[in-house]
Amino acid sequence: MNSQDAFEQYVRLKYQLFNSLFITLPFEETRNTGHFLPLLAGKCAEGMKQEATPAEIIEAFFRDNYADLELGDRVDLLFRFVQYIERQVVLFDAIEDAAFKKVTDIRGKGTFHHLLTKINTQEQKQRFVEKLNDFGIRVVLTAHPTQFYPGNVLSIITDLEQAIRHNNVQEINLLIQQLGLTPMYRRKKPTPLDEAIALIWYLENIFYQTVGDIIGDLKNRFPGVEVNPSLIRLGFWPGGDRDGNPFVTADTTLTTARKLKESVVRAYLADVRDLKRKLTFPETDGAIRRIENKLQTTIYRHDDQYYASADELVTDLELIRLKLVNDYRGIHADLLQALIDRVRAFGFFFAEMDIRQDSRVHRKIVSDILTATGNQAQYEACSTLAAKADFWANLNVNDLHPGAFEGITSDSIRTIEVLRTIHHENGSEACHRYIISNTRNAEDLFILHFLFRASGWEGQLPFDLVPLFETIDDLEASSEIMEFLYTHPFYKAHLAQRGNKQTIMLGFSDGTKDGGYVAANWSIFKAKKHLTELSRKYDVKVLFFDGRGGPPARGGGDTHDYYAAHGRSVENHEIQLTIQGQTISSKFGNHESARYNMEQLLTAGLGNHVFQSDKQELTPEQEALMDELGQLSLDAYTRLKEHPKFIDYLDQVTVLNFYGETNVGSRPSKRSAGGKLNLDDLRAIPFVGAWAQMKQNVPGYYGFGDALRAVEASGRGAQLRELYGKSLFFRALIYNSMQALAKTRFELTSYLKHNPEFGEFWTLLKQETDLTVEYLLQLSGYDRLLQEAPVNLSSIGMREEIVLPLLVIQQYALNEYRQAIARGEDGELWKKMVVRCFFGNINASRNSA
């Protein structure tokens, strides 16, 4: 059975079957809603074909079915439709998750099985084995506000998936009843600690087992081969990411670190207790019980008999393993080895916390410090970058106390002090990176180093200072900035202490918001090549950390193809990327999908090393063509941003201003409160998410069609086709843009073309959409978008069909709200409806924000 047939049998048919259970729920209102929702869906599909307004569609539905309903009852029914659709999306998610192994080729492209079948020579096998000890991936979980399922609903999805997998109809029916009575949204914003606890669930229930299984399987495949214990590392931003989030404090950071340690020690304790039932031999029995007692004490530290480090635990476990091998025929030694591998992978930290703050905040902090210590005039006398770097490198401030300052300055000093406690309790690996958002020049890293020294860190600094380059201009300046750092004696000495390793973070989200889809992706790719060349020149091991979101507009899409396309000109020591929101639950929500997606990352990097080839490297002419495409698309996107209606359209037509009402994250939607809407101040998540709610997805493609048309019109269509045939990077760029376009439905807002204020702007967006689809299909030779991924296309199609009435209701409520405001009314009821529609829409798209 091919994957498409499997989708029809195990997803579409099962959804139709179990969806019917909703109608049989013992709730009278649910039955009425379920019976009439298909009628509304039919009206929506018919109305969109006729370019009817949302009001006309909704009015037609009520006229034909509920002509006598008063306004209040109509609104109530619409809310019930929204709630019903939200639960249909949950059911569909669970069904797809349960069918993962049946509709996904788990031995196909990007899996270990597929990679190993391609290794045909001894030289390739040797390169693979060598790389296993010198390569790793880092999956960094972030708490960015894109997870629209509360924790209790995620638990239902997990249980529902298991029931569906085993065709337990009675359990499915019970869970659907539970779902019908469970709230689908948060009534108040989560705290940063709430976000941390929610993501720790994935560490405990998914990653702990899956990471260990992957490492164990590799060791079994290659006995005697040294597998990098850091082959798979997990990163963690909740509790440490304070960029634009005033609710993350020093106490939050410390509490989160302790929660992580407690969680992983409890996981070890559970494994030890299982082993205790098996290790019944003389000596091993008492030894495993002593480990159990010490682990219990490690959690609470109520006496001196605790593990001070994970290495101590490994030593004790290894002694038992050797005893089993030498004296007891190796019985259960494999179980001991699996636990040892997990302890080496997770330590006492589970996931490595990153600290992140904006460079502009750092400058405000050091300004306060300079004023308080009388050094402001000396700093202002520094007229060059070199002079400023030397100033910070040589400035020593003693006995700096948080109590001497207020607000963010005080808390930032205390945060850096708290990191010493985390190192003592969890180990230095628990938190050893500090990321500087909005890095504009090399001075930003010297300022951060000074802040550590001023906050009491003496001697060698056990932290990696990580610049984050986000905008197009910053990406272009990144090589110059890093060369200054690599050649400055002070920073060279710091790098030497850190093993001559430098992590550099590159931000897809803000890059796309700043320069559009093509320009951002190409600028990041070029920056990686230039930074690789520069780092090799100065004998620095550079590690790239990609700040990616779920959708293509924020760097998402097919990650395997993207990383496999890097070739030899981009350093390949590690693949590091952020995973956030509903992308965590969709890609890592169960063991099968988590393993599959981690293998996709691992094989992308390992395969690049094994099959060393210059085939993927672009010729100078092809790079020039990509430069031209990037610039043409940037020009088109810049014209869009500079359009007199661009900001007003975002502000007055899209649902952007409602994003902060959804209570999905602790972080504000804008970096600063109040004032007129400003694109630079607007975060990428609500920016991309607002376009997704409108089903326009502009950041995922805009300017691509315009650029391709311009090159084609210049008579270089053959060069474009050659580039498509040779460059995996260019193909990945096209396929991921197709994903954004496949989720685009301009017919939803076709009524706007007649709007006297925004009709021309809406038409501009629609024309570029049609143009991009035309040229991407022409270049790929496809008849339809995502032709090479029919299951993905079917999934998108079913999800869009489910939420169609939800989309129309949101547009209807949006217009009713604005009309109410224009009449001087508060419009609160309509506002609530707009916000409630966010959840089902985002969850159905799975990676729209």
Side-chain angles (χ1 to χ4, degrees):
M1 183 184 297
N2 63 38
S3 58
Q4 183 61 40
D5 290 339
F7 181 88
E8 295 298 319
Q9 178 174 337
Y10 294 106
V11 178
R12 189 183 299 277
L13 289 178
K14 279 201 172 186
Y15 174 75
Q16 292 169 352
L17 171 64
F18 295 134
N19 185 46
S20 65
L21 292 178
F22 276 108
I23 300 177
T24 66
L25 290 178
F27 314 125
E28 182 62 33
E29 291 183 347
T30 300
R31 283 199 292 271
N32 291 338
T33 305
H35 283 304
F36 282 97
L37 182 57
L39 299 177
L40 175 59
K43 284 293 182 186
C44 292
E46 177 186 342
M48 285 173 59
K49 289 179 182 177
Q50 297 173 357
E51 298 185 355
T53 67
E56 290 170 342
I57 294 172
I58 298 297
E59 289 299 324
F61 165 76
F62 282 117
R63 183 180 63 247
D64 293 347
N65 300 284
Y66 285 105
D68 298 331
L69 275 187
E70 298 292 333
L71 177 61
D73 292 329
R74 289 187 173 194
V75 170
D76 182 61
L77 180 59
L78 291 176
F79 270 114
R80 292 211 306 272
F81 283 144
V82 171
Q83 294 164 353
Y84 195 95
I85 294 168
E86 287 172 342
R87 286 154 178 81
Q88 286 182 310
V89 173
V90 172
L91 175 63
F92 190 82
D93 281 348
I95 289 172
E96 272 207 323
D97 289 344
F100 181 83
K101 290 180 72 172
K102 291 183 169 66
V103 301
T104 305
D105 186 358
I106 59 173
R107 296 164 69 88
K109 185 184 77 170
T111 65
F112 276 129
H113 175 83
H114 185 261
L115 174 63
L116 294 176
T117 58
K118 293 169 59 181
I119 296 177
N120 298 316
T121 69
Q122 187 60 36
E123 181 184 4
Q124 290 173 342
K125 182 178 180 180
Q126 184 62 31
R127 283 203 293 262
F128 179 81
V129 168
E130 288 173 354
K131 196 63 176 175
L132 277 179
N133 193 35
D134 185 38
F135 177 71
I137 64 170
R138 185 189 298 258
V139 177
V140 180
L141 308 182
T142 80
H144 289 352
T146 62
Q147 177 52 274
F148 281 67
Y149 284 138
N152 52 5
V153 175
L154 287 171
S155 298
I156 294 174
I157 292 176
T158 300
D159 294 341
L160 192 55
E161 175 212 332
Q162 291 299 318
I164 291 169
R165 186 174 297 180
H166 296 98
N167 290 315
N168 188 338
V169 177
Q170 183 178 357
E171 180 70 10
I172 293 167
N173 187 53
L174 188 64
L175 287 165
I176 287 177
Q177 291 186 49
Q178 179 185 348
L179 184 62
L181 296 170
T182 301
M184 295 288 293
Y185 66 98
R186 299 179 178 92
R187 297 187 181 276
K188 62 179 183 178
K189 284 183 176 294
T191 66
L193 188 58
D194 291 335
E195 293 170 330
I197 291 171
L199 289 187
I200 287 173
W201 184 92
Y202 289 96
L203 299 180
E204 294 172 335
N205 294 280
I206 305 297
F207 289 103
Y208 181 76
Q209 177 181 323
T210 305
V211 170
D213 288 349
I214 291 174
I215 294 173
D217 286 353
L218 282 171
K219 285 190 169 186
N220 289 335
R221 286 175 184 263
F222 301 95
V225 171
E226 190 68 28
V227 176
N228 182 8
S230 300
L231 181 68
I232 304 174
R233 280 293 169 101
L234 304 175
F236 206 73
W237 275 18
D241 180 13
R242 57 232 321 117
D243 179 11
N245 192 339
F247 307 110
V248 177
T249 64
D251 288 337
T252 307
T253 301
L254 181 58
T255 303
T256 300
R258 286 173 170 166
K259 289 281 185 185
L260 286 165
K261 178 178 180 178
E262 178 183 340
S263 178
V264 76
V265 172
R266 287 188 185 280
Y268 299 151
L269 187 57
D271 282 353
V272 166
R273 284 172 175 160
D274 286 341
L275 284 165
K276 187 173 65 172
R277 299 169 58 191
K278 297 177 173 64
L279 303 185
T280 54
F281 317 119
E283 298 177 89
T284 64
D285 181 36
I288 199 70
R289 290 178 185 276
R290 285 191 293 274
I291 291 175
E292 178 188 20
N293 292 334
K294 287 187 72 172
L295 283 172
Q296 286 179 279
T297 306
T298 301
I299 295 174
Y300 301 108
R301 289 198 173 193
H302 52 71
D303 59 39
D304 293 335
Q305 299 303 310
Y306 62 84
Y307 283 111
S309 70
D311 288 340
E312 292 181 8
L313 174 59
V314 168
T315 298
D316 284 354
L317 291 169
E318 186 63 30
L319 287 173
I320 299 178
R321 190 192 70 82
L322 290 173
K323 195 72 177 172
L324 293 174
V325 171
N326 294 331
D327 298 344
Y328 298 103
R329 302 180 181 179
I331 297 174
H332 301 314
D334 58 331
L335 300 180
L336 255 299
Q337 186 60 60
L339 178 54
I340 290 169
D341 289 340
R342 284 180 168 84
V343 177
R344 284 175 172 160
F346 299 125
F348 277 173
F349 52 85
F350 217 161
E352 300 176 5
M353 287 184 68
D354 287 338
I355 308 298
R356 185 173 74 131
Q357 184 57 280
D358 193 292
S359 65
R360 291 165 291 192
V361 175
H362 287 162
R363 288 178 181 271
K364 188 268 180 191
I365 293 167
V366 294
S367 177
D368 290 348
I369 294 172
L370 292 179
T371 300
T373 58
N375 289 293
Q376 186 68 41
Q378 183 183 353
Y379 171 71
E380 290 175 353
C382 300
S383 58
T384 65
L385 175 61
K388 291 177 179 178
D390 291 340
F391 171 82
W392 295 116
N394 295 307
L395 180 62
N396 290 307
V397 175
N398 298 319
D399 299 323
L400 193 66
H401 297 291
F405 300 91
E406 296 180 347
I408 196 168
T409 299
S410 174
D411 187 72
S412 296
I413 294 169
R414 185 162 178 269
T415 295
I416 296 176
E417 291 179 348
V418 155
L419 298 179
R420 186 179 290 103
T421 302
I422 294 174
H423 276 207
H424 175 69
E425 294 182 1
N426 297 22
S428 60
E429 291 177 288
C431 184
H432 61 89
R433 305 199 307 186
Y434 196 123
I435 300 162
I436 311 168
S437 298
N438 196 46
T439 299
R440 293 297 171 89
N441 57 51
E443 185 187 4
D444 291 325
L445 281 83
F446 285 90
I447 286 174
L448 179 57
H449 201 290
F450 161 74
L451 281 174
F452 270 95
R453 301 195 314 275
S455 302
W457 285 83
E458 299 176 352
Q460 295 185 1
L461 182 62
F463 278 85
D464 300 321
L465 311 184
V466 182
L468 168 52
F469 302 110
E470 301 174 89
T471 68
I472 302 297
D473 288 343
D474 292 344
L475 289 165
E476 290 180 354
S478 61
S479 291
E480 180 182 346
I481 292 171
M482 296 312 301
E483 185 159 29
F484 183 93
L485 291 166
Y486 288 166
T487 55
H488 193 282
F490 182 84
Y491 198 80
K492 280 178 66 177
H494 169 70
L495 276 183
Q497 295 167 5
R498 301 300 293 162
N500 279 327
K501 291 182 180 180
Q502 175 66 57
T503 301
I504 300 174
M505 187 172 181
L506 305 163
F508 283 80
S509 300
D510 282 290
T512 303
K513 179 170 72 78
D514 177 54
Y517 174 73
V518 179
N521 277 272
W522 179 238
S523 294
I524 289 172
F525 192 81
K526 283 199 305 179
K528 286 184 176 181
K529 292 185 69 171
H530 295 156
L531 289 167
T532 295
E533 182 180 358
L534 179 73
S535 300
R536 288 171 178 171
K537 173 182 175 182
Y538 290 104
D539 198 26
V540 174
K541 187 176 184 178
V542 67
L543 309 173
F544 295 117
F545 177 23
D546 292 332
R548 302 167 70 97
R554 298 187 54 235
D558 190 326
T559 50
H560 174 85
D561 281 355
Y562 173 79
Y563 287 110
H566 279 175
R568 300 172 67 183
S569 59
V570 174
E571 205 63 90
N572 183 35
H573 300 298
E574 289 186 14
I575 290 176
Q576 304 183 17
L577 75 166
T578 55
I579 303 287
Q580 55 198 252
Q582 76 275 26
T583 308
I584 298 174
S585 56
S586 64
K587 290 193 171 184
F588 300 94
N590 59 57
H591 297 292
E592 290 85 0
S593 60
R595 174 159 187 155
Y596 177 83
N597 283 292
M598 280 191 274
E599 284 193 16
Q600 294 286 309
L601 294 172
L602 286 164
T603 58
L606 292 168
N608 274 343
H609 182 76
V610 171
F611 306 108
Q612 293 180 357
S613 170
D614 293 325
K615 289 183 179 179
Q616 282 299 324
E617 304 300 331
L618 300 179
T619 65
E621 293 76 17
Q622 289 168 334
E623 285 208 9
L625 181 57
M626 280 302 310
D627 280 336
E628 186 176 356
L629 287 170
Q631 186 60 52
L632 288 167
S633 69
L634 176 61
D635 292 343
Y637 184 75
T638 301
R639 289 194 299 271
L640 179 71
K641 289 199 303 180
E642 293 175 350
H643 192 285
K645 291 299 178 185
F646 181 76
I647 294 296
D648 290 342
Y649 188 86
L650 275 173
D651 192 36
Q652 300 174 35
V653 176
T654 75
V655 296
L656 176 67
N657 289 324
F658 300 89
Y659 226 93
E661 306 285 335
T662 56
N663 291 334
V664 296
S666 65
R667 195 170 66 168
S669 298
K670 295 195 296 182
R671 286 184 168 87
S672 61
K676 182 177 172 59
L677 179 63
N678 182 294
L679 195 59
D680 292 335
D681 193 40
L682 180 64
R683 292 195 173 280
I685 290 171
F687 176 73
V688 172
W691 291 112
Q693 288 282 313
M694 301 292 288
K695 291 299 172 184
Q696 294 177 347
N697 291 321
V698 164
Y701 65 87
Y702 198 92
F704 207 169
D706 197 84
L708 292 172
R709 177 177 60 181
V711 173
E712 183 81 32
S714 67
R716 289 175 291 158
Q719 293 180 33
L720 280 176
R721 288 184 286 277
E722 181 185 3
L723 182 65
Y724 177 82
K726 178 176 181 179
S727 172
L728 184 57
F729 171 81
F730 188 52
R731 291 201 298 275
L733 202 64
I734 286 174
Y735 297 158
N736 287 336
S737 190
M738 282 184 179
Q739 184 184 119
L741 288 161
K743 297 179 181 180
T744 299
R745 301 183 71 167
F746 267 81
E747 60 268 33
L748 174 68
T749 54
S750 59
Y751 66 92
L752 285 170
K753 76 164 90 173
H754 307 296
N755 185 290
E757 183 175 2
F758 296 108
E760 180 268 336
F761 185 81
W762 181 92
T763 301
L764 178 68
L765 299 178
K766 177 66 163 59
Q767 288 173 343
E768 179 63 17
T769 305
D770 294 342
L771 184 68
T772 305
V773 170
E774 175 188 347
Y775 274 91
L776 294 189
L777 291 179
Q778 177 182 310
L779 195 55
S780 64
Y782 291 170
D783 297 321
R784 64 184 186 278
L785 296 172
L786 297 181
Q787 183 173 311
E788 90 294 350
V791 170
N792 288 353
L793 189 60
S794 295
S795 176
I796 291 170
M798 282 196 70
R799 290 173 177 277
E800 295 296 314
E801 182 181 334
I802 292 169
V803 298
L804 176 58
L806 188 73
L807 299 172
V808 173
I809 290 171
Q810 186 182 51
Q811 288 292 306
Y812 171 70
L814 186 63
N815 287 306
E816 291 295 319
Y817 170 78
R818 287 178 173 141
Q819 290 175 26
I821 296 300
R823 293 192 299 267
E825 302 167 3
D826 65 12
E828 191 63 29
L829 188 64
W830 299 114
K831 177 181 180 181
K832 181 180 177 182
M833 186 176 290
V834 171
V835 172
R836 279 305 305 273
C837 290
F838 268 80
F839 305 100
N841 188 6
I842 288 289
N843 290 331
S845 296
R846 284 209 150 180
N847 68 347
S848 291

